[in-house]
Amino acid sequence: MNPLLRPALLLALLLGLCASAHAQVVAPRFLPGQPMVVGDQVLMMWGPVPGAAQYAVFHNGREIARVASNQYLGVLPKEPGEHRFQVAAVTAVGVLGLPGEPGVIRVRHIGKPGGVIARASTATGSIDLIWNKVEGALIYNVYRSRPGQDRQLVASVQEETFKDAQVAGGEEYTYEITAKDLSGQEGPRSAAVGATLVAGMKQAEDRVVFRALPTTEVFSLTYRRPPSRTGHLPGHRAGPQPLGGGPEAAHHPQPGRQRRAALHLGPVPVRGHRVPADPPETGPRPGGKTYVSDAINGVLACLDPQGVLLWARGIPTPPVTQRELWEEFPEHMKSQLATPSSVLCREGELWITDQRFQLIYRLDYQGKVLGHITHYLQDGERLRLPGVGELFALEKTGATLLTFPLSHRAVAVDEGAKVVARFGGQVRGYMGGFVGIHGVSPWEEGKVLLTDPAVASLQVFDAASGRYLYHISGPEPRPDPVYAQRADLPLRKPNLAMRAGDGKLWVYDAATRRISVRRMSGVATPPLDGG
């Protein structure tokens, strides 16, 4: 061989080996709904790639970060328009795989409120503000300043109006308004407007901005993850239960793959008390049976009154022929597992939520799929369901309450999926509505309790109308519009709450993995209207 050709051949061989290694590294795929905007940041999560030591994150084709885990949280781009994000796996020897399918984030700048007017009210001794609606605004922040003092946030409201009763006569106040959208992005400040309350005018009485019900802690416990995910079902051997062989197996996107359910039931003794033996995601008990969902494995299980497993079946991924269901979903989603979550028995059917596919499954009591609910009606408009968190039957009205954790809303719908009540819009003093509503449970007669992990609140509403009634607070309610001092309940992320038969309130805090059991220690503060 010509010695001059050897370096060229070695280089070609090296490039070929690199290209082969490059091609063998699997391209990561974003999880459903990813990437997503979280406040002023962008969050993305993807399925782990075997053999990957790191992941390279790309923004519009340019590498911006390398991370060891299969998720990335970065600053939201400020430039308006579409931003494409991709992820590539990196092996332990530094081989960079091909980037996966891009995920798109659309950034738009929310406008500033116009037409701001501030007037001093002689009737109430307050300064009243109004302004024009901003397209895409979820809430409005009201900032106030005085000569020689810094600007401060005094309220966050949902409507285009605000009454400032915390003002002194003879003082000049200047106000600026900003709008915030669903992503938490805050727009520019409005033009400043000023007003002065004439000294001697009637002063408005101090009023609470929300009602609060004090509680005291009875006892608490900290949950620790068991060493194994293996569950134990009474009447069956310990260990995971093999699933498969049923009629649904043929519809599974990966035929022949055996799934395993890990379900755990049973009371846990704690300092003389017992934790209610109810799994987090269970349905009602038609005929004495209990239905339990397993979102990780895409499984629905049926137990008899003694907790013995009767059957467990995989819920099939919706067929690709249902085009309306798959609108705007990327192609790879069609091979993902179902993620059944909240279970509800409704008029002879089981309704089961799936946040991944943004729908509700309709099943019979044997687990056979009857259909899917993908849309709901609101103000005459047909809307796609966002990710549904919890389902709850409102017995008096016959409606079903749906919580939308990522869309900051909760609604009640009738049998035709038409909205009959909305929850959270009237709440004032900290947000003007929900931030991340999640759990729902019965409270007293005609009332429901809703949990909001994003702002650490538990709120009670009228079940029929959706009208806000009061918060559940700690021993010293201290409402504050800026919510620097919220009601005193020492919670960080209350995901689930339930009231036991003895009147005690059980609250699970996802941030601290702690269950707190509380007793009411007073009456709720006066209502918003002072009545």
Side-chain angles (χ1 to χ4, degrees):
M1 178 181 293
N2 189 335
L4 297 177
L5 295 178
R6 287 181 181 175
L9 290 175
L10 288 174
L11 178 61
L13 179 61
L14 180 60
L15 291 174
L17 290 174
C18 290
S20 175
H22 182 86
Q24 290 177 6
V25 181
V26 178
R29 288 183 172 182
F30 285 121
L31 296 181
Q34 303 291 322
M36 66 183 296
V37 176
V38 182
D40 59 353
Q41 297 178 300
V42 58
L43 170 68
M44 59 193 77
M45 295 183 285
W46 54 90
V49 173
Q54 285 185 311
Y55 297 93
V57 181
F58 295 87
H59 173 218
N60 291 342
R62 181 176 65 87
E63 184 175 336
I64 58 173
R66 291 208 176 188
V67 294
S69 63
N70 58 324
Q71 62 178 318
Y72 171 74
L73 182 66
V75 177
L76 182 70
K78 296 187 180 301
E79 298 78 15
E82 289 191 352
H83 295 264
R84 297 164 62 88
F85 291 91
Q86 294 172 281
V87 179
V90 183
T91 67
V93 295
V95 175
L96 178 67
L98 292 172
E101 184 178 341
V104 177
I105 289 290
R106 293 173 177 84
V107 175
R108 63 170 184 169
H109 293 313
I110 193 166
K112 64 180 180 181
V116 183
I117 299 174
R119 292 194 182 100
S121 171
T122 57
T124 61
S126 62
I127 294 178
D128 301 337
L129 294 100
I130 58 173
W131 56 88
N132 296 335
K133 183 176 181 179
V134 175
E135 186 66 29
L138 173 66
I139 62 169
Y140 299 94
N141 285 339
V142 180
Y143 294 89
R144 184 183 69 193
S145 62
R146 296 168 62 181
Q149 293 186 357
D150 294 334
R151 180 190 307 109
Q152 291 186 334
L153 175 67
V154 294
S156 296
V157 297
Q158 214 169 22
E159 290 81 16
E160 293 77 38
T161 179
F162 174 67
K163 180 185 292 291
D164 189 1
Q166 307 301 316
V167 291
E171 295 284 348
E172 180 185 359
Y173 295 89
T174 300
Y175 297 89
E176 295 168 291
I177 316 296
T178 64
K180 293 183 72 172
D181 60 18
L182 281 171
S183 70
Q185 179 187 7
E186 185 172 17
R189 292 190 295 272
S190 69
V193 296
T196 301
L197 185 67
V198 178
M201 293 176 66
K202 178 182 176 182
Q203 297 295 307
E205 296 180 359
D206 290 342
R207 293 170 53 197
V208 296
V209 292
F210 58 74
R211 301 182 68 189
L213 178 66
T215 66
T216 54
E217 186 172 290
V218 180
F219 69 93
S220 63
L221 61 105
T222 300
Y223 169 76
R224 291 180 175 83
R225 188 180 298 278
S228 170
R229 287 187 46 166
T230 299
H232 177 67
L233 295 174
H236 289 260
R237 64 178 177 81
Q241 303 293 324
L243 303 174
E248 291 83 0
H251 301 285
H252 195 275
Q254 295 173 283
R257 175 183 170 186
Q258 195 176 56
R259 289 177 286 176
R260 296 178 179 271
L263 307 173
H264 182 79
L265 300 176
V268 181
V270 181
R271 299 183 187 175
H273 299 269
R274 298 176 77 81
V275 178
D278 222 33
E281 301 293 353
T282 61
R285 299 161 172 79
K289 299 182 179 68
T290 298
Y291 293 87
V292 184
S293 66
D294 181 348
I296 296 177
N297 297 286
V299 170
L300 177 69
C302 180
L303 313 176
D304 72 7
Q306 285 72 46
V308 177
L309 179 68
L310 299 177
W311 51 260
R313 297 191 178 122
I315 294 181
T317 300
V320 296
T321 53
Q322 296 188 9
R323 294 186 178 180
E324 185 181 54
L325 188 153
W326 292 109
E327 282 180 352
E328 299 184 7
F329 277 79
E331 188 66 26
H332 72 266
M333 287 283 293
K334 300 176 183 179
S335 62
Q336 297 284 328
L337 286 175
T339 55
S341 182
S342 182
V343 185
L344 174 68
C345 176
R346 193 185 192 282
E347 298 179 0
E349 298 180 356
L350 297 174
W351 283 19
I352 305 177
T353 65
D354 190 320
Q355 291 198 39
R356 170 174 287 171
F357 298 135
Q358 297 181 202
L359 55 79
I360 297 173
Y361 297 100
R362 295 174 45 241
L363 287 77
D364 65 15
Y365 288 160
Q366 299 304 313
K368 179 182 178 181
V369 177
L370 303 175
H372 308 88
I373 299 173
T374 58
H375 291 73
Y376 67 104
L377 299 173
Q378 179 174 296
D379 298 331
E381 186 177 2
R382 190 167 181 263
L383 304 172
R384 178 63 192 255
L385 282 174
V388 180
E390 296 291 326
L391 295 170
F392 181 75
L394 302 173
E395 295 183 3
K396 276 196 171 183
T397 64
T400 300
L401 195 151
L402 316 177
T403 68
F404 303 146
L406 297 180
S407 300
H408 322 290
R409 291 178 289 132
V411 299
V413 299
D414 61 15
E415 64 277 3
K418 179 181 178 181
V419 173
V420 295
R422 307 181 196 184
F423 294 75
Q426 310 91 337
V427 183
R428 298 300 187 88
Y430 75 96
M431 186 67 184
F434 286 108
V435 180
I437 177 176
H438 187 271
V440 54
S441 61
W443 191 241
E444 299 166 342
E445 180 69 21
K447 301 180 181 68
V448 291
L449 176 69
L450 301 177
T451 65
D452 188 343
V455 291
S457 72
L458 308 174
Q459 304 175 16
V460 178
F461 288 80
D462 179 76
S465 65
R467 184 170 62 91
Y468 163 77
L469 298 175
Y470 52 82
H471 280 56
I472 307 297
S473 79
E476 183 189 353
R478 295 179 303 189
D480 187 323
V482 190
Y483 64 89
Q485 298 182 65
R486 271 193 298 267
D488 236 3
L489 191 60
L491 297 172
R492 288 173 57 192
K493 289 187 177 180
N495 263 31
L496 298 172
M498 61 174 289
R499 196 170 190 178
D502 57 3
K504 294 187 181 70
L505 177 66
W506 293 69
V507 184
Y508 174 65
D509 190 332
T512 59
R513 304 181 68 83
R514 182 171 175 262
I515 295 175
S516 173
V517 181
R518 312 188 70 83
R519 181 186 293 112
M520 308 310 142
S521 60
V523 297
T525 56
L528 292 172
D529 57 10

